[in-house]
Amino acid sequence: MAATFFPPRILPMNYVISKEFHRKSSELASRFSSSLAFISNPFVSGVKHEGNSTFSHSFGFLRDYKLSGKCRARNTKVLHAHLLLTDYLQSDVFFVNSLLDLYCKAADMVFAHRLFDTIALPNVVSWNIMISGYDRNSMFGKSLDMFCRMHLFGVEPDEFTYGSVLSACSALQAPIFGKQIYSLVMKTGFLSSGYVQTRMMDMFSKNCNFEEALRFFYDASCDIVACWNAMISVAVKSGESWFALNLFHQMCRASLMPNSYTFPSILTACYELKEMHIGKGVHGLVIKCGVTDIFVETAIVDLYVKFGCMSEAFRQFSLMQFHNVVSWTAIISGFVQEGDINFALKLFKNMREIGHEINSYTVTSVLSACAKPGMIKEAGEIHSLLLKLGLNLDAWVGAALVNMYAKIGEVGLSELAFSEMKNIEDQSMWAAMLSSFAQNQNSGRAIELFRVMLGEGVKPGEYCISSVLSITSYLNLGSQIHGYTLKSGLVSNVSVGCSLLTMYSKCGCLEESYKVFQQVPVKDNFSWTSMISGFAEHGCADQALQLFEEMLYHGIVPDIITLTSALTACSYLRLFKTGKEIHGYAFRSGMGTDTVFGGALVNMYSKCGSLNLARKVFGMLPRKDAFAYSSLVSGYAQKGLIEETVLLFHDMCLTDVTIGAYTIPSILAAAAILCRSDIGAQLHAYIAKLGLQADVSVGSSLVTMYSKCGSIEDCQKAFDDAKKPDLIGWTSIIVSYAQHGKGADALAAYELMRKEGVQPDAVTFVGLLSACSHSGLVEEAFFYLNSMFEDYNINPGHRHYACIVDLLGRSGRLREAESFINKMPIEPDSLIWETLLAACKVHGNFELGKLAAKKVLELGPSDAGAHVSFSNICADVGQWEEVTKIRSSLNVTGMKKEPGWSLL
């Protein structure tokens, strides 16, 4: 084990080194002898330069020098030169060891090592001085090297040797070497030494090796408080807080008095276990034991802060006789977390006035307090203070500055704070700046900065990756970042995994998103919620609810966001019963009054047609947001309750709720049902006032509303106002043209839509075919019917075929229409036969009308309209017997013809 550190050396070489060193030292002696006069009393007064000093004088000389507190390298060299004039360095190893110790205390380890190499036969004290000297001067690697060399020369270590080398192992976090030392301790019988036990436990504590520490603790049968403290500390750091409390209980039963090192660890364990009552009991024991150490008092304050008991925390803080920067920081951060920003800033001001130093942790707490809109003045003052103190160059403080300005909304100042930082290799700075861009939805600058980061050679960590993924909607870039996370191993990180699956969900790649979700090794609540939300928002409601059930099966407790996503899925599927069950769960959990969840509840009940429950939940909401209003307005509109719709929208306008683009379509739909162009015009003016006329969904609703009110010119104006219409917008104008007999305009709009790169769907083709039907464009209609499948892989449905039948019927080509129906690839429904029946009535075709009526009655026997239509055909051709027969069948079956109505 030791041979790898030092080559073997033969002892006679020490004598050669000794001679050479003494020769050079003699030269130094003559040079430094005059310097003795400059070394102040007490130790110079007793020195005789003639070389006839007695042993007692020299011993007193060394003792007084050590006690003088002037162990400097230069003074030690002068003393060394003086001792060379005597023969003590050659005859007595005590003097060499004393001088060696002085060099170590003076931090001149190079000269100490040279002196050590002159010793012909160094004893264990000599080795211990060198090992502890290197240890004391933070040269821990050299300390281990010296121990290995000692072992190689066969010198038996003592307890002080083991104690020093174990300290070096702790500092270097070298557990493998520590285990080898542990074996030697066991072999040489020093396991019972309290000094060795303490250092061994300290090593295990700093390396957080719980199992090895526990084995040693029981093997050594530790009976000193320091070992118990170290074992408790290891347990807490390793997440074994219950074990730590059990040890503490055993310690007290063994009559071992806990001290100021015991209580901070135990108080930390109480917080980790969320055991406030145990923490209060420990606080009482602290008072009983009379421990008034500042660290224990600070730990008590910190405990109450973490549990949110700020009144008790402040009381304990006020009772402290002395405060350090940790206690100040704890109480300030506590009030920041509680949202009492003004008092937190007042405490910080008091801390500064008293003259207490502040550190980076204090500053970051204060910066987070100023990270609120409207606090730009306070933020600037703190920033100025940091510049004055030079703390702005600290990486964590710089990151906190960037985050503060980002949350205030001052991205420019965030960039300024970022540019002031010098350490460009620190990831926290880049992560903070990327997060700033992400919070302010500046995807372009975020991606640009990410590329600069890579160009500077800085490897992005989990926070950088998560920030970029949270804002990007570019699938290509997201896939490349995914590849990087796979290569770097970051894909297993929970936050990175969640960001990846969210990115794929936003890009519509739900399959890839689910694959990433399955690969996340430890799925937390956020992971499940992100995937459930992704499914719910992209129309995969079945998968969302299935995943929600799986989440509950795994024992993951859903939060308010998860429940809201599950309710969204219920709304899509119209699952009233499941939605009520989720409502009940949220009510029992105390989350039923949340504004966002309440809006989702109103939406679910509205979509499921239960408007009474929707209105009841709406009335119970402590704060009604735009989504809740819009959901209820939409529910009323869909049910045709026009008066309620308009009144609720009026109430909404009287509140301070912001009316968004998602509310307007529902109220426009109500105006369209009423065919009230005057109400529609007022709404249009209100929309223009809000600046929403360019919104795609609003524009489409305006087009539909004006179309149903009979104003095609206003349709065109509303469509022209919309900024970059989407598929729904284009389809709305095509359908409007079709309904008003403007077939050529409808086809022209379709061609413009294709040029804009918008692909049609089945509804678009219904509008096109309807336009052809109303304008008698037979050839064009068949062209578009064939184009559906050939160009866009859309299978025509019953409504498309009904348009063709209607077109042929309007053109008087009834037999051709019949032949078309018989050759259809799908079974004709009642709509298609009703269309043919209507055409037969127009053209007076009794025989074909009779066939069409028969088919309609077979598919819908309770259809009174089919009976009436066929009755009218019979009447037109003089078949009064048939008319009588049909009217009689209506009376027998109890069917009634609905009366016609008109708004005119």
Side-chain angles (χ1 to χ4, degrees):
M1 175 181 71
T4 57
F5 288 91
F6 292 98
R9 300 177 62 184
I10 56 175
L11 289 177
M13 183 61 69
N14 283 340
Y15 293 102
V16 176
I17 295 172
S18 176
K19 281 188 174 183
E20 180 64 18
F21 186 79
H22 279 292
R23 184 182 67 79
K24 291 184 178 179
S25 298
S26 297
E27 295 175 5
L28 287 171
S30 60
R31 191 189 315 167
F32 285 118
S33 58
S34 61
S35 300
L36 286 170
F38 295 99
I39 304 177
S40 59
N41 287 332
F43 64 89
V44 171
S45 59
V47 177
K48 294 183 179 180
H49 300 289
E50 291 78 9
N52 55 357
S53 299
T54 63
F55 179 86
S56 60
H57 284 155
S58 297
F59 177 79
F61 185 91
L62 285 170
R63 182 194 61 203
D64 292 341
Y65 177 54
K66 284 184 179 180
L67 295 175
S68 70
K70 298 183 179 181
C71 297
R72 305 289 186 270
R74 183 179 180 278
N75 293 347
T76 304
K77 288 176 182 177
V78 172
L79 178 60
H80 187 180
H82 167 73
L83 290 175
L84 286 172
L85 298 177
T86 70
D87 61 350
Y88 292 129
L89 290 180
Q90 296 180 5
S91 60
D92 198 318
V93 73
F94 167 78
F95 282 95
V96 182
N97 288 343
S98 297
L99 188 60
L100 199 62
D101 186 45
L102 291 173
Y103 275 122
C104 291
K105 287 180 178 177
D108 192 345
M109 294 308 299
V110 174
F111 225 85
H113 195 91
R114 289 178 184 173
L115 178 61
F116 177 81
D117 282 342
T118 65
I119 304 174
L121 292 171
N123 60 12
V124 67
V125 177
S126 309
W127 291 99
N128 286 350
I129 290 171
M130 286 303 297
I131 293 170
S132 63
Y134 279 126
D135 196 26
R136 190 185 308 123
N137 289 283
S138 301
M139 302 171 72
F140 306 112
K142 291 282 187 182
S143 181
L144 294 184
D145 290 348
M146 188 60 72
F147 177 78
C148 292
R149 184 178 170 190
M150 176 185 183
H151 187 67
L152 179 65
F153 282 116
V155 181
E156 289 293 331
D158 61 8
E159 59 180 315
F160 300 107
T161 318
Y162 286 123
S164 296
V165 76
L166 284 169
S167 295
C169 291
S170 300
L172 290 173
Q173 293 189 345
I176 296 177
F177 201 97
K179 289 179 182 179
Q180 294 175 342
I181 302 297
Y182 180 24
S183 301
L184 284 174
V185 168
M186 293 280 289
K187 183 179 179 181
T188 53
F190 284 101
L191 193 62
S192 59
S193 167
Y195 183 69
V196 174
Q197 288 178 1
T198 304
R199 294 302 177 92
M200 185 71 76
M201 288 302 304
D202 182 62
M203 181 192 71
F204 287 127
S205 175
K206 289 181 178 176
N207 287 283
C208 295
N209 195 330
F210 176 70
E211 292 181 0
E212 292 292 335
L214 189 61
R215 186 166 66 116
F216 173 78
F217 182 76
Y218 287 125
D219 286 347
S221 300
C222 298
D223 57 356
I224 54 177
V225 174
C227 287
W228 284 82
N229 288 345
M231 190 63 239
I232 290 170
S233 176
V234 175
V236 173
K237 289 177 182 177
S238 302
E240 299 288 344
S241 296
W242 278 120
F243 187 85
L245 289 180
N246 187 41
L247 274 178
F248 178 69
H249 181 65
Q250 292 180 37
M251 178 181 177
C252 295
R253 290 183 63 184
S255 299
L256 292 171
M257 182 65 68
N259 58 25
S260 57
Y261 295 98
T262 318
F263 289 115
S265 295
I266 292 301
L267 290 169
T268 302
C270 293
Y271 170 71
E272 293 295 333
L273 295 170
K274 307 301 180 189
E275 294 288 348
M276 183 63 183
H277 66 287
I278 298 179
K280 286 184 176 180
V282 174
H283 182 190
L285 186 59
V286 169
I287 297 172
K288 184 178 180 181
C289 294
V291 179
T292 57
D293 185 272
I294 189 171
F295 299 106
V296 176
E297 292 176 328
T298 301
I300 292 170
V301 171
D302 189 53
L303 176 77
Y304 286 116
V305 164
K306 287 177 177 176
F307 277 109
C309 303
M310 291 310 301
S311 57
E312 185 62 27
F314 187 69
R315 190 172 79 86
Q316 294 302 318
F317 178 80
S318 303
L319 291 173
M320 291 176 66
Q321 189 173 0
F322 301 102
H323 300 97
N324 59 7
V325 65
V326 179
S327 57
W328 278 103
T329 302
I331 197 70
I332 290 171
S333 64
F335 281 110
V336 171
Q337 291 168 14
E338 287 293 306
D340 195 345
I341 307 303
N342 292 329
F343 195 68
L345 294 178
K346 182 181 178 181
L347 284 173
F348 180 69
K349 183 180 178 182
N350 293 342
M351 180 183 181
R352 293 280 300 148
E353 288 173 349
I354 293 170
H356 260 292
E357 64 169 341
I358 60 174
N359 60 19
S360 58
Y361 298 102
T362 319
V363 169
T364 51
S365 294
V366 175
L367 288 174
S368 64
C370 297
K372 301 287 186 298
M375 295 194 70
I376 185 66
K377 179 184 176 183
E378 292 82 355
E381 291 174 354
I382 299 297
H383 193 175
S384 300
L385 176 63
L386 298 181
L387 290 169
K388 181 180 178 181
L389 299 176
L391 285 172
N392 63 307
L393 298 178
D394 181 90
W396 287 104
V397 174
L401 268 172
V402 172
N403 280 324
M404 175 189 69
Y405 284 125
K407 290 179 179 177
I408 292 174
E410 297 288 343
V411 185
L413 292 175
S414 283
E415 291 192 77
L416 179 63
F418 178 76
S419 65
E420 290 175 353
M421 301 301 295
K422 305 298 181 184
N423 187 9
I424 63 170
E425 295 180 358
D426 195 288
Q427 280 192 26
S428 61
M429 294 164 35
W430 296 91
M433 194 66 240
L434 286 168
S435 176
S436 172
F437 286 134
Q439 288 174 39
N440 290 276
Q441 297 300 309
N442 196 333
S443 59
R445 293 288 289 125
I447 294 169
E448 180 185 346
L449 183 67
F450 186 67
R451 286 172 178 160
V452 172
M453 179 184 182
L454 295 175
E456 293 287 346
V458 182
K459 293 184 178 180
E462 56 187 272
Y463 299 109
C464 298
I465 295 292
S466 298
S467 295
V468 176
L469 286 173
S470 69
I471 199 170
T472 184
S473 56
Y474 300 106
L475 182 59
N476 187 30
L477 176 63
S479 299
Q480 291 180 39
I481 295 175
H482 188 185
Y484 172 80
T485 61
L486 287 169
K487 185 178 179 180
S488 59
L490 286 171
V491 73
S492 59
N493 181 273
V494 175
S495 62
V496 172
C498 287
S499 300
L500 274 171
L501 66 91
T502 304
M503 182 274 298
Y504 280 122
S505 294
K506 282 194 299 185
C507 295
C509 301
L510 290 180
E511 187 177 346
E512 288 295 326
S513 180
Y514 189 59
K515 284 181 182 176
V516 173
F517 173 76
Q518 289 178 313
Q519 290 171 1
V520 175
V522 181
K523 300 175 182 65
D524 61 358
N525 189 292
F526 186 72
S527 306
W528 288 94
T529 301
S530 298
M531 194 66 246
I532 292 169
S533 301
F535 278 135
E537 290 169 7
H538 288 83
C540 299
D542 287 324
Q543 292 92 323
L545 290 179
Q546 184 179 349
L547 204 62
F548 179 66
E549 291 178 6
E550 190 178 339
M551 175 185 180
L552 297 176
Y553 177 78
H554 282 87
I556 307 296
V557 178
D559 59 12
I560 198 70
I561 302 173
T562 322
L563 295 175
T564 303
S565 299
L567 275 180
T568 303
C570 292
S571 301
Y572 279 122
L573 298 173
R574 308 291 195 268
L575 295 177
F576 177 73
K577 183 181 177 183
T578 306
K580 281 192 74 175
E581 290 173 352
I582 294 173
H583 186 185
Y585 177 88
F587 185 80
R588 289 192 301 272
S589 305
M591 296 183 284
T593 57
D594 180 84
T595 301
V596 176
F597 181 74
L601 268 176
V602 173
N603 182 54
M604 184 273 297
Y605 284 130
S606 297
K607 291 279 180 65
C608 292
S610 181
L611 290 176
N612 290 333
L613 281 175
R615 185 75 196 205
K616 187 175 181 181
V617 172
F618 180 80
M620 293 171 62
L621 290 177
R623 189 174 68 84
K624 300 169 179 62
D625 63 0
F627 182 70
Y629 267 108
S630 301
S631 299
L632 195 55
V633 166
S634 176
Y636 281 139
Q638 289 173 9
K639 280 286 187 179
L641 302 172
I642 309 304
E643 185 179 351
E644 288 85 348
T645 305
V646 175
L647 287 175
L648 186 62
F649 181 72
H650 182 259
D651 291 343
M652 185 179 182
C653 293
L654 295 176
T655 64
D656 57 352
V657 175
T658 303
I659 297 177
Y662 40 81
T663 312
I664 301 298
S666 296
I667 194 69
L668 285 173
I673 292 172
L674 288 173
C675 291
R676 292 285 300 272
S677 59
D678 55 338
I679 295 177
Q682 292 180 47
L683 286 170
H684 195 171
Y686 185 68
I687 290 165
K689 184 180 177 181
L690 295 175
L692 295 173
Q693 70 272 21
D695 183 86
V696 175
S697 61
V698 172
S700 301
S701 299
L702 278 170
V703 169
T704 303
M705 185 271 296
Y706 280 125
S707 175
K708 290 186 177 180
C709 292
S711 180
I712 192 63
E713 292 80 10
D714 289 328
C715 275
Q716 182 64 56
K717 289 178 183 177
F719 179 78
D720 292 339
D721 286 340
K723 186 179 180 181
K724 199 175 181 180
D726 61 357
L727 175 62
I728 298 174
W730 284 105
T731 301
S732 298
I733 193 66
I734 290 170
V735 171
S736 298
Y737 281 137
Q739 290 173 348
H740 287 79
K742 293 182 174 289
D745 291 336
L747 301 188
Y750 173 71
E751 294 303 324
L752 281 174
M753 181 184 87
R754 290 184 61 192
K755 286 181 181 179
E756 291 292 330
V758 180
Q759 286 200 351
D761 63 359
V763 181
T764 313
F765 279 106
V766 170
L768 272 176
L769 294 174
S770 178
C772 293
S773 173
H774 286 80
S775 301
L777 304 174
V778 178
E779 293 182 5
E780 289 83 350
F782 277 100
F783 170 78
Y784 289 123
L785 185 67
N786 294 328
S787 175
M788 284 182 66
F789 183 77
E790 293 175 1
D791 297 333
Y792 301 104
N793 200 28
I794 301 173
N795 291 315
H798 289 102
R799 294 184 65 189
H800 302 99
Y801 289 122
C803 290
I804 299 296
V805 173
D806 183 54
L807 172 61
L808 294 173
R810 286 172 183 267
S811 303
R813 298 154 71 168
L814 298 180
R815 290 299 173 186
E816 193 175 338
E818 181 189 9
S819 176
F820 177 80
I821 293 173
N822 293 329
K823 293 178 181 179
M824 280 171 45
I826 60 175
E827 281 293 322
D829 63 353
S830 60
L831 173 64
I832 292 173
W833 289 112
E834 285 174 0
T835 304
L836 180 61
L837 178 60
C840 292
K841 177 182 179 298
V842 171
H843 295 284
N845 192 322
F846 174 74
E847 294 299 329
L848 189 56
K850 187 175 182 181
L851 173 65
K854 180 182 177 183
K855 294 290 186 182
V856 172
L857 294 174
E858 286 177 358
L859 294 170
S862 59
D863 190 345
H867 286 81
V868 173
S869 295
F870 185 53
S871 172
N872 291 336
I873 293 173
C874 294
D876 290 340
V877 296
Q879 295 287 333
W880 299 107
E881 292 182 6
E882 287 290 337
V883 172
T884 305
K885 216 184 273 186
I886 294 168
R887 297 289 181 180
S888 299
S889 66
L890 281 172
N891 294 330
V892 170
T893 56
M895 287 186 287
K896 292 182 179 180
K897 175 184 177 297
E898 291 184 11
W901 59 277
S902 174
L903 290 173
L904 299 177

